[in-house]
Amino acid sequence: MSKNRLVAAGHAMSLEKPLKKRILDNWQLYAMLLIPVVLTIIYKYIPMYGIQIAFRDYKASRGFMGSEWVGLEWFRRFFSAPTFGRMIKNTVLLSFFSLLWSFPIPVILALMLNQMRFQRFKRVTQTVLYAPHFISTMVICGMIRIFLSPSGGLINLIAGTSVDFLTESAAFRTIYIASGIWQDAGWGIIVYMATLANVDTSLYEAAKVDGASLFQRIRHIDIPELTSIMVLNLIMSAGGLMNVGFEKVWLLQTELNKATSDVIAVYVYQQGIENAKYSYSTAVGLFNTAINIILLIVVNKIAGKISEDTSFI
């Protein structure tokens, strides 16, 4: 009997045992699983009870149930806000362009690193690429302000100009996306490098014998191996498409670049924390979450048609 048949037979026999017996036999695994389950319930599901304030005129002194029910009033107010169209446009464009430019970069870097044969240089390169991920967003934004300073900034010194880029609305998206790629691209290659490490080296040897070039080996061996994980990452990224990084936008936003930096995440913070409009900010956040869920379902359906494995979610 082959190894696969033995595994299948063992699995079938284990399923024949009663559920209680299976739990007792593997209680250590279930005990480990209990910790993330409890944390998820406490921090993800229990707070959902507070979503109802999006449909109430919430007053802290009255509590949830004591506050007046206003239905969709806060949603109507958000949809009629003067900056509604601008916020939706900025959020969608900033998220879409971030995904468009940042998604393929880790794949390309992983394919390049996988072809390196000098292991020491490869490890050093990986370390250099990983390092920016561990720098806090506040420090990153401070570095960006220094690099883009009109007086002594590195970019202006190289270009021989004295432009304050952070006051230019047209430059904000480029600054946000480019800094995001620099910070996270190296970290994003880890899963791709792990996938490529499992490729059978005999495939490369056979391809070389058949006369396949470097690009042909990448196209016919590496890329098909990465397809499933690429689709999965695309789905996960699409699920947070409307969740533009609040911290970086907030720290880089100025009065002069709001035309392109005014996004929903910052608006929720301003209304909920600064102006104490809890019901209104919750309604805006709930609307944003609903759009994310719709996008996640749509992208998953599309991805399922172009991938062999459609059971990602």
Side-chain angles (χ1 to χ4, degrees), residues 53 58 246 250 264-285:
I53 69 175
Y58 177 70
F246 160 75
W250 175 251
I264 293 177
V266 173
Y267 186 71
V268 170
Y269 172 81
Q270 291 172 334
Q271 297 299 318
I273 303 300
E274 293 183 352
N275 300 332
K277 297 180 180 179
Y278 304 117
S279 294
Y280 182 59
S281 62
T282 302
V284 177

Side-chain angles (χ1 to χ4, degrees), residues 153-202:
L154 179 62
I155 303 301
N156 279 302
L157 287 176
I158 294 174
T161 58
S162 58
V163 179
D164 189 354
F165 292 99
L166 288 177
T167 63
E168 299 287 338
S169 296
F172 180 82
R173 291 187 187 124
T174 302
I175 295 170
Y176 180 91
I177 295 169
S179 61
I181 292 174
W182 172 67
Q183 185 177 11
D184 296 322
W187 185 254
I189 71 175
I190 292 178
V191 66
Y192 298 120
M193 291 296 295
T195 303
L196 291 172
N198 293 323
V199 177
D200 189 353
T201 55
S202 64

